[in-house]
Amino acid sequence: MRAARRKGLGPLVLIAPAAVLLGIFLILPYLNIVVMSFRMPGQGTPYGPGFTTGNYTNFFADSFYLHQVANTLWIGLLTTAICLVVGFPVAWQLARGTMRFRALAYGLVLSPLLVGIVIRSYGWTILLGNAGLINRTLTGMGLIDRPLPLMYNALGIVIALVHVFLPFMILPIMAGIQGVDPSLESAARSLGASRFTAFRRIVLPLCTPGIQAGCILVFVLSLSAYVTPSLIGGLRVKTMAVTVVDALIDTFQWPWGSALALMLSVTGALCVVIFARLTRMKWKVARP
């Protein structure tokens, strides 16, 4: 009996430190945000006495914030799709390629993570600005007469976000491809399947968990990005993350900012759940 009890308590003891950390630094702050979102607005203070549902009523009644949610989701989806299209070939080469300089390519993939996000975003302002390197080069070559609108719009934000979050797409996909035994593809080819059919029917389904992880990471990080949209988008394109920070810091409206943050979190979580359900792999066990 004592041995059985010890075996039962063993996993709980191992999980306890991580559970305590999650409870203190994740669950409690979220509960505080939930409570704060129902507080009354304050006059010169973070919040007033009493509770109200007016923050959520104002959110759903104002089409401006609903449009911001839709715009934020669109930027996140577009960033995720571009990272998937660009990152999958790179991940395939890193996992299956025979490049002589694979270590160098791997270092290039990881190099954006070694530079602060503020520096990376500011670098894109130098490249994409009206007087930036791209527009000056194209104007000097006589290809354009006026600067291209590459900043202060959704296009510039997506370009910068793709550069910032591309490693988070490549690394999980590369891990998923490395987990697929190459002999399975060879067996399919020996049975008459074409290279594309073997990839579509065998390799792609088996590396789907890596694709799922990369897409979820990039999408969630794109929704919550603040520095890049604020620097590249300026005052013309505002995402929900920028609006939340403005409400909390600039206007000092903690209940309103908490409500906006929760709506952004709930919307992102619903999108992730729907994506996971749609791309879920259904294994069928053959019965004799």
Side-chain angles (χ1 to χ4, degrees), residues 38-272:
F38 289 100
R39 298 303 297 262
M40 294 288 294
Q43 299 294 331
T45 58
Y47 55 88
F51 296 88
T52 180
T53 59
N55 296 317
Y56 294 99
T57 304
N58 295 333
F59 174 81
F60 288 105
D62 197 335
S63 60
F64 173 75
Y65 296 103
L66 297 178
H67 176 73
Q68 277 197 356
V69 172
N71 189 40
T72 303
L73 291 176
W74 167 246
I75 291 175
L77 290 173
L78 188 58
T79 303
T80 304
I82 295 176
C83 284
L84 178 59
V85 173
V86 176
F88 192 91
V90 178
W92 181 269
Q93 287 296 326
L94 290 176
R96 293 285 187 86
T98 58
M99 297 183 300
R100 296 177 55 188
F101 305 102
R102 180 181 297 180
L104 178 60
Y106 191 76
L108 292 176
V109 171
L110 295 178
S111 60
L113 302 178
L114 304 178
V115 183
I117 190 172
V118 176
I119 298 175
R120 283 179 283 174
S121 301
Y122 184 72
W124 278 108
T125 63
I126 298 175
L127 292 174
L128 302 177
N130 292 335
L133 180 61
I134 295 176
N135 279 316
R136 283 189 300 173
T137 302
L138 295 177
T139 303
M141 296 175 62
L143 299 178
I144 57 175
D145 297 330
R146 62 183 63 181
L148 297 175
L150 301 178
M151 269 191 64
Y152 307 117
N153 51 31
L155 174 62
I157 295 176
V158 170
I159 292 174
L161 288 179
V162 167
H163 170 254
V164 172
F165 297 135
L166 187 60
F168 295 97
M169 179 68 74
I170 295 176
L171 297 179
I173 295 178
M174 183 185 68
I177 296 174
Q178 288 176 340
V180 179
D181 191 352
S183 61
L184 297 176
E185 187 178 1
S186 301
R189 294 292 307 278
S190 65
L191 293 175
S194 63
R195 185 182 298 273
F196 176 75
T197 301
F199 172 79
R200 181 175 60 87
R201 298 292 297 274
I202 296 177
V203 179
L204 189 60
L206 291 178
C207 65
T208 297
I211 297 175
Q212 288 178 334
C215 290
I216 291 174
L217 275 175
V218 173
F219 179 73
V220 172
L221 292 173
S222 300
L223 291 186
S224 60
Y226 168 72
V227 175
T228 301
S230 61
L231 289 178
I232 306 297
L235 299 177
R236 299 183 184 179
V237 181
K238 274 196 172 185
T239 61
M240 281 296 294
V242 177
T243 303
V244 169
V245 174
D246 291 343
L248 293 174
I249 297 179
D250 294 343
T251 60
F252 209 53
Q253 299 177 2
W254 287 15
W256 175 238
S258 299
L260 293 178
L262 280 178
M263 295 311 303
L264 176 61
S265 300
V266 170
T267 304
L270 288 176
C271 293
V272 170

